Amino acid sequence: LAVVTPCTPPGESLPIEQMKEYIESSCQDHTTVLVDESMQLWRGPAWREDSLVSQKEWIVNLLESRDIRVYIIHSWTKIWSCPGIRLGSVIAPTAQHIADLKKHQVPWSLNVFALEFLSAAIKDEEFLNLTWEAVPRLRARTENELTKLFPSWEFHGEGWLSWLWIDTKDEEVAASAVKLAKAAGVPIRNGGMGYGVPTFIRLKVASSEKQDILINALKPLAQ
């Protein structure tokens, strides 16, 4: 079983107790479960409280009673804005499970530069605090400004996530929005590409200046 929470692109997130219930009810005995919590890191300084990393006793009990093996995956490239380095981590049920995984790990999966970046980034509490403060505020601003122009649009996703998933209710409007945004230098993604929902668009949470450029670019669609 593979689970992504919060999932992309809708941005839905299961609270920790619901996630545990879902895993317990969905899995037969002797199942391996991969839970990708990469976007959970955007929740804020208390993100661990609603993460499976806080559920060691439950994970061990699930392993011992039903042989259900829960692995928790985190990608650190998004929260630290370093996609070219591809940093990530895996938490396994036991130390032996980690040892078994390492047998298949390629040598030098992280180079010296990546390790140096990791050592510096993990100490940069100011960056994370600024991110956790700014993203919800800027996301809310984007939603509020777009709602003024397009009151029929529906916005999806947790308020602390770094993107917005929007149903414009009209395939042509979504396609036109993508073209106008690209021409203005603030590209957005069409939901029809890869996701199969052409009335949707996906926006990143950006600075106020970038937001204003996007809002102005989309104004012709509101006329």
Side-chain angles (χ1 to χ4, degrees), residues 17 19 42 66 74 84-85 88 92 99 105 113 134 140 146 161 204:
E17 292 302 322
M19 174 60 70
W42 295 84
R66 298 181 56 190
H74 294 110
I85 297 180
Q105 185 177 10
F113 175 79
L146 287 175
L161 286 174
K204 72 175 182 178

Side-chain angles (χ1 to χ4, degrees), residues 40-181:
Q40 179 77 8
L41 309 172
W42 295 84
R43 183 181 287 273
W47 67 268
R48 293 177 181 84
E49 296 177 6
D50 201 48
S51 162
L52 286 180
V53 301
S54 67
Q55 301 298 312
K56 179 180 178 181
E57 183 176 343
W58 174 80
I59 290 174
V60 172
N61 180 65
L62 209 56
L63 174 66
E64 294 177 347
S65 63
R66 298 181 56 190
D67 190 33
I68 295 177
R69 302 166 294 277
V70 179
Y71 293 79
I72 308 166
I73 302 171
H74 294 110
S75 168
W76 299 91
T77 62
K78 299 176 180 65
I79 190 68
W80 283 334
S81 302
C82 58
I85 297 180
R86 311 303 297 173
L87 287 169
S89 57
V90 178
I91 300 175
T94 68
Q96 185 57 52
H97 286 97
I98 286 293
D100 292 340
L101 278 178
K102 285 185 175 181
K103 294 177 183 177
H104 303 281
Q105 185 177 10
V106 296
W108 307 106
S109 57
L110 287 178
N111 59 29
V112 173
F113 175 79
L115 292 173
E116 287 293 326
F117 176 87
L118 174 63
S119 297
I122 204 168
K123 300 173 185 176
D124 193 349
E125 295 183 7
E126 181 182 5
F127 174 81
L128 285 177
N129 288 329
L130 287 173
T131 299
W132 289 328
E133 182 280 324
V135 170
R137 172 172 49 82
L138 292 171
R139 191 183 192 281
R141 183 181 188 273
T142 302
E143 182 173 342
N144 291 337
E145 293 299 318
L146 287 175
T147 298
K148 294 176 185 177
L149 292 175
F150 310 101
S152 65
W153 286 12
E154 289 186 358
F155 297 80
H156 300 268
E158 301 287 351
W160 40 267
L161 286 174
S162 61
W163 77 89
L164 297 91
W165 184 236
I166 306 171
D167 186 0
T168 68
K169 308 296 184 64
D170 189 301
E171 185 173 341
E172 292 185 4
V173 169
S176 296
V178 171
K179 291 180 181 178
L180 290 170

Side-chain angles (χ1 to χ4, degrees), residues 175-189 213-214 217-218:
S176 296
V178 171
K179 291 180 181 178
L180 290 170
K182 182 178 180 181
V186 283
I188 62 179
R189 182 165 182 173
I213 294 173
L214 176 63
L218 297 182

